[in-house]
Amino acid sequence: MESPGSGLSAQVRVALGETGAIGATVRQLASRVDRPMDRVEAILDELRDRGEVLRIGRGLWVLRDYESLHEREDFADPGSYAERFREENGVVLGRWSGPVTFRSNESLPIHRWWPYVQGYSAEFVQDVLEAHGVGPGATVLDPFAGSGTTLVEARLARSRAWGTELLAPAALASRVKTFFELDPRRLERAAEAVLRRAAHRGPGALPFLRETRRQFSTAALEDLTRLRDSIDPEPTPIADALRLAFGRILIPSSRLHRSPCLGYDPRGRSEGPGPFERFRVAVGQMVEDLRALRREPRRLGPRASVEQRDARTADWPAESVDLAVTSPPYVNGMDYVMNYKVDLAWLGYARSYADLRALRRAEVACDNLPRTETHAYLSTQDLPDPWLEEILPRIRENVLRKGTYRRDDVHAVVHRYFADLVPVLSRVRRALRPGGRFVVVVGDSLLAGTYVPGDLLFARLGASLGLSIVSVEVARPRRSGQRRSFELRESVVTLERPRSAS
Ligand SMILES: C[S@@+](CC[C@H](N)C(=O)[O-])C[C@H]1O[C@@H](n2cnc3c(N)ncnc32)[C@H](O)[C@@H]1O
């Protein structure tokens, strides 16, 4: 074993130093110093015992100098941005005082028909609607409607609910969950007919996804294709509800799980009910919830409108919305297309990998965006917010310094992310009535060793487009995937269309 002062040990330290705050994995270091991984790992262990290096998460190592990002001169931390936000925008970061805001919707009527891991809680939306006095006659908009949490609650409050959502399975969920007029008896009978037809037909064709046979047992594949092919392909409300129930049982019938990203477990789901039984239970819950809705003496408000489309080009009527509530994708966050590719393929919304790529290009930018889509955003000039003039070059420098990183255009992805939000904010502003508000749940990020205050930037973009910033309130802490010790946050940003604005 080489001592820490010896050749390889020194090389490992230099290589790690070059990766700065981002750090490097054993594999990356081994390739940089051109030695086997086990040798490099042994050196790292020894350097760690001497207090010179440490692991920060996701298999990443850094020099101890980079242990605390806060103390580094080249690191602008959350506190410094909060201070600048107060000085430049006149708003002090507050604390969200609502009830427990992120409880799962999995056991709630209607919401449980297709709960979204990425969604916020129904309770949070109820609280926001109530705080803003939204009730009968009001119009509520969610530009990134997801599984429809906002829209369902808006309808239950007897308001008009409008939503746009690009991801077809989520748009389907929003549409079905807000169609309270669906007849539970007809749904029950249609489900029984599907199960009868499915029991008598042979297995059908598998979707195009290459991993399908690995991800499902043969028996599950046969039953799932039978069920899928027994549902009426026409987009009638009953067939859509059955499709949603079918979509909901896909992951539970497979060796996959969402936590929150799609993961594979070779031993997963060898037991438990088969797809037919799962489908029966999923439809049973819908029937039960629809029956409960009918028993309530509540008068329903107007039917919801859910459009499957790109919110960046949506055309909501001017001055028509009282309250917009949403949670957009987060900077460099979830790749929705990757995470919902099974649903997209099985439900027939994507028929090829080219379809998945096209959808990813239209979603708000995420880390898996193809390079062809970031070309126009490589420049760090003419940015949507002056803070990005510091943030993007810092990300670029850190990545260049490290040499190897997942992609060398991370700063361009971040640039495009904020550029994608601008048209949505601008269209929501136009759609709001004077005095109408836009309430947004959004998080901050740590990317390539650089802090990105996504919540404050969202608020500032809104301000630059003529909305006033009412508040930015921290709702809960989040863990950074990049650095376990670094605390991120999720905030509630409230913007308002000024009453005097045109
Ligand atoms: C955080 S999720 C919203 C979750 C939602 N609040 C709920 O409770 O279900 C963000 C959503 O934005 C959608 N999205 C991303 N880019 C979009 C775009 N350009 N137009 C419309 N929707 C988009 C994603 O598909 C995803 O469903």
Side-chain angles (χ1 to χ4, degrees):
M1 167 64 55
E2 276 138 292
S3 70
S6 73
L8 181 54
S9 184
Q11 279 179 42
V12 169
R13 255 182 291 136
V14 169
L16 200 53
E18 281 165 5
T19 70
I22 303 181
T25 60
V26 174
R27 182 186 296 279
Q28 289 166 338
L29 287 169
S31 129
R32 276 175 97 107
V33 299
D34 199 18
R35 292 296 167 87
M37 279 171 59
D38 56 347
R39 293 271 311 278
V40 170
E41 197 161 15
I43 298 252
L44 284 168
D45 283 342
E46 203 177 310
L47 290 171
R48 180 188 45 204
D49 292 346
R50 294 168 59 92
E52 292 187 36
V53 303
L54 71 152
R55 280 187 68 149
I56 53 165
R58 280 202 191 151
L60 284 171
W61 293 80
V62 285
L63 284 188
R64 177 145 319 261
D65 282 358
Y66 289 92
E67 179 173 13
S68 169
L69 291 171
H70 293 270
E71 284 157 22
R72 297 199 60 85
E73 261 174 38
D74 58 354
F75 185 75
D77 67 7
S80 67
Y81 281 111
E83 186 50 32
R84 278 173 75 178
F85 190 65
R86 187 184 63 76
E87 281 165 15
E88 294 176 26
N89 300 93
V91 176
V92 177
L93 205 60
R95 211 147 260 294
W96 175 253
S97 59
V100 186
T101 55
F102 296 89
R103 198 177 289 165
S104 160
N105 292 336
E106 258 169 68
S107 56
L108 293 179
I110 308 175
H111 295 284
R112 64 181 173 168
W113 297 359
W114 202 78
Y116 215 179
V117 197
Q118 294 75 27
Y120 42 45
S121 72
E123 208 179 7
F124 166 75
V125 179
Q126 281 162 14
D127 195 43
V128 172
L129 297 185
E130 206 178 300
H132 290 88
V134 167
T139 298
V140 176
L141 167 70
D142 187 343
F144 299 110
S147 63
T149 312
T150 308
L151 307 182
V152 169
E153 287 304 320
R155 257 216 101 179
L156 287 172
R158 293 164 51 193
S159 302
R160 181 174 290 109
W162 288 346
T164 48
E165 168 59 50
L166 198 53
L167 193 74
L172 172 74
S174 285
R175 210 166 49 239
V176 173
K177 285 159 82 179
T178 50
F179 190 59
F180 298 165
E181 288 76 9
L182 199 67
D183 181 343
R185 277 190 56 205
R186 280 191 57 212
L187 178 62
E188 199 168 33
R189 284 203 204 118
E192 281 160 13
V194 164
L195 284 161
R196 264 198 312 277
R197 282 200 294 275
H200 289 106
R201 76 183 317 142
L206 295 184
F208 66 91
L209 295 173
R210 286 188 280 270
E211 312 91 344
T212 302
R213 284 199 184 279
R214 192 169 58 98
Q215 292 169 342
F216 295 81
S217 70
T218 306
L221 282 179
E222 290 186 0
D223 282 357
L224 285 170
T225 54
R226 286 187 176 108
L227 278 172
R228 178 202 59 199
D229 296 344
S230 303
I231 299 173
D232 179 359
E234 291 304 312
T236 62
I238 292 280
D240 276 351
L242 295 172
R243 239 183 304 284
L244 185 66
F246 175 75
R248 184 178 165 196
I249 66 165
L250 283 169
I251 299 301
S253 303
S254 75
R255 299 184 181 113
L256 298 162
H257 53 89
R258 282 198 185 99
S259 58
C261 294
L262 199 60
Y264 172 71
D265 174 2
R267 289 156 298 136
R269 313 273 180 212
S270 50
E271 287 152 30
F276 279 36
E277 184 52 24
R278 287 184 191 278
F279 181 75
R280 203 188 311 274
V281 171
V283 177
Q285 288 185 350
M286 295 168 112
V287 169
E288 189 183 323
D289 296 347
L290 287 166
R291 289 209 168 112
L293 264 183
R294 296 197 159 202
R295 279 195 300 274
E296 276 180 52
R298 139 185 12 234
R299 236 180 357 100
L300 296 177
R303 289 192 182 176
S305 150
V306 180
E307 286 183 284
Q308 189 202 322
R309 63 166 303 166
D310 188 342
R312 295 173 304 175
T313 55
D315 206 8
W316 306 294
E319 303 198 1
S320 54
V321 169
D322 299 279
L323 181 69
V325 186
T326 204
S327 176
Y330 292 4
V331 195
N332 245 35
M334 174 72 58
D335 176 353
Y336 287 93
V337 176
M338 210 259 282
N339 272 285
Y340 289 91
K341 65 182 177 192
V342 173
D343 314 58
L344 283 159
W346 277 89
L347 292 171
Y349 293 124
R351 305 213 171 262
S352 63
Y353 283 98
D355 283 355
L356 294 181
R357 282 195 295 275
L359 179 58
R360 187 176 287 122
R361 284 197 292 273
E363 288 253 323
V364 168
C366 74
D367 196 25
N368 287 338
L369 196 66
R371 289 187 66 87
T372 45
E373 293 297 306
T374 60
H375 270 148
Y377 300 88
L378 287 167
S379 159
T380 51
Q381 274 155 21
D382 296 330
L383 299 170
D385 187 276
W387 285 10
L388 292 172
E389 287 162 18
E390 294 162 32
I391 292 170
L392 299 189
R394 212 173 278 144
I395 294 176
R396 194 182 50 189
E397 276 155 32
N398 281 354
V399 170
L400 284 177
R401 192 171 157 192
K402 169 152 176 174
T404 53
Y405 198 63
R406 263 171 303 133
R407 54 191 300 165
D408 59 12
D409 59 346
V410 185
H411 71 282
V413 176
V414 178
H415 181 174
R416 180 165 146 179
Y417 169 85
F418 287 105
D420 280 346
L421 292 181
V422 168
V424 182
L425 266 156
S426 152
R427 281 156 199 270
V428 170
R429 191 206 77 99
R430 182 176 167 274
L432 285 173
R433 293 188 213 285
R437 289 194 170 177
F438 189 14
V439 179
V440 181
V441 176
V442 64
D444 56 2
S445 307
L446 186 66
L447 294 172
T450 308
Y451 178 68
V452 184
D455 47 0
L456 305 185
L457 280 162
F458 192 98
R460 287 168 58 87
L461 288 182
S464 73
L465 293 164
L467 292 163
S468 59
I469 306 171
V470 177
S471 57
V472 179
E473 295 164 305
V474 178
R476 66 165 179 179
R478 291 192 299 139
R479 276 282 216 50
S480 158
Q482 203 180 57
R483 251 174 207 263
R484 282 188 296 254
S485 61
F486 195 89
E487 193 169 274
L488 294 171
R489 61 179 183 239
E490 206 149 32
S491 305
V492 183
V493 175
T494 304
L495 306 171
E496 183 178 295
R497 178 166 180 173
R499 285 177 200 280
S500 55
S502 59

